[in-house]
Amino acid sequence: MKNKLTIPDLHEMTKRGEKIALLTAYDYPTAVFEDKAGIDIILVGDSLAMTVLGYDSTIPVTTDEMLIFTKAVTRGVKRAFVVADMPFLTYKTDVNSAIRNAGRFIQEGNADAVKLEGAGIVVPKVKAIVDAGIPVMGHIGLTPQSIGVLGGYKVQGTKKESALKLIDDAKKLEEAGVFSIIAESIPCELTPFIKDRVSIPVYGIGAGAEADGQILVVHDILGLFHGFIPRFVKKYADLGKTLEDTFNRYINDVKNSTFPDDTQTYHMDKKELHTLKEYLKDKTN
Ligand code: KIV
């Protein structure tokens, strides 16, 4: 069994120039296969609200729901470092509930860390959660839980002022104690400026090739999501098509009585069958 990755391992990999491969996972089999393939960090993202639960944003998913998926993922993982997303409004109102809610992902979900979106009022909560002994990953740029304020899934930091704000957010999150930051949907030119100003790894999703690692939503790379697919996604498979074709073949087999065939059928011992038939000849039985 390969050793479980730790934060020092991940930092060491970045120091020696190795890119970190991250993916989301929400269920046991996906976690098992990602882990076997050698993924470094698995994020149980609140994107599951859209990819798995069919909501049209990440807002509706709750901590109780996230915990079911987090537990399934951590049961399947031997090596990868597992981060769980804290859902909408579970860490923004006050420090105590932020610590308690974060603690549930570690204690009940068996995650290695939590991820919080944004900076500003989130920074003191990050510090308190880290002080309570829970590792935190930051998330800046396009933060989907604030989609109402951001006005849609738009690229962030495209102008000098907003770019400087993102650099400042990254610095403040580092000061608060995050062990890494995800930068989502920002111009690739901005990523090196952020990296140069913090000493923790900056992983990208739509942040260009210079990030210390890349994360994508697993349903997007597998071709399993039918909603909006951003420019930064690379589709590695079309499992949606494979699933539909497979379901079609099954339906046809059932309709045409070509499933089950003899190889999928149980048989009764001939002698037992004969005895049964003799017995049932008498209609009163
Ligand atoms: O919820 C999620 O999947 C995420 C990634 C897009 C970074 O936050």
Side-chain angles (χ1 to χ4, degrees), residues 24 26 43 45-47 85 115 117 139 182 184 205 215 217:
T24 66
Y26 318 108
L43 172 70
D46 62 353
S47 49
D85 243 344
K115 175 166 81 60
E117 287 187 7
H139 184 163
I182 288 189
E184 178 166 352
I205 173 163
I215 177 162
V217 167

Side-chain angles (χ1 to χ4, degrees), residues 13 17 26 33 36 60 72 86 94 119 124 181 201 226 242 272 284:
M13 288 157 80
Y26 318 108
F33 289 120
K36 277 177 146 191
M86 291 189 68
D94 64 283
I181 291 175
H226 283 292
T242 306
E272 287 298 331
T284 57

Side-chain angles (χ1 to χ4, degrees), residues 57-59 88 91-92 117-120 139-158 162-163 165-166 169 182-186 205 232:
S57 80
T58 59
I59 309 290
F88 180 66
Y91 53 90
K92 284 194 174 166
E117 287 187 7
H139 184 163
I140 59 170
L142 175 58
T143 45
Q145 290 173 16
S146 305
I147 204 67
V149 174
L150 297 176
Y153 295 93
K154 295 177 186 154
V155 183
Q156 304 295 306
T158 52
S162 56
K165 163 87 170 60
L166 289 180
D169 286 351
I182 288 189
E184 178 166 352
S185 290
I186 63 169
I205 173 163
F232 57 71

Side-chain angles (χ1 to χ4, degrees), residues 17-91:
E18 182 177 342
K19 296 274 185 172
I20 303 298
L22 307 89
L23 269 179
T24 66
Y26 318 108
D27 58 52
Y28 176 83
T30 309
V32 168
F33 289 120
E34 286 184 8
D35 196 53
K36 277 177 146 191
I39 205 78
D40 301 310
I41 299 180
I42 293 180
L43 172 70
V44 187
D46 62 353
S47 49
L48 68 84
M50 301 167 81
T51 55
V52 178
L53 299 178
Y55 291 115
D56 57 12
S57 80
T58 59
I59 309 290
V61 76
T62 66
T63 298
D64 284 342
E65 288 169 331
M66 286 295 297
L67 275 168
I68 293 170
F69 296 99
T70 305
K71 287 179 196 178
V73 167
T74 54
R75 280 195 287 265
V77 167
K78 291 190 167 67
R79 173 184 173 272
F81 189 85
V82 180
V83 181
D85 243 344
M86 291 189 68
F88 180 66
L89 239 48
T90 60
Y91 53 90

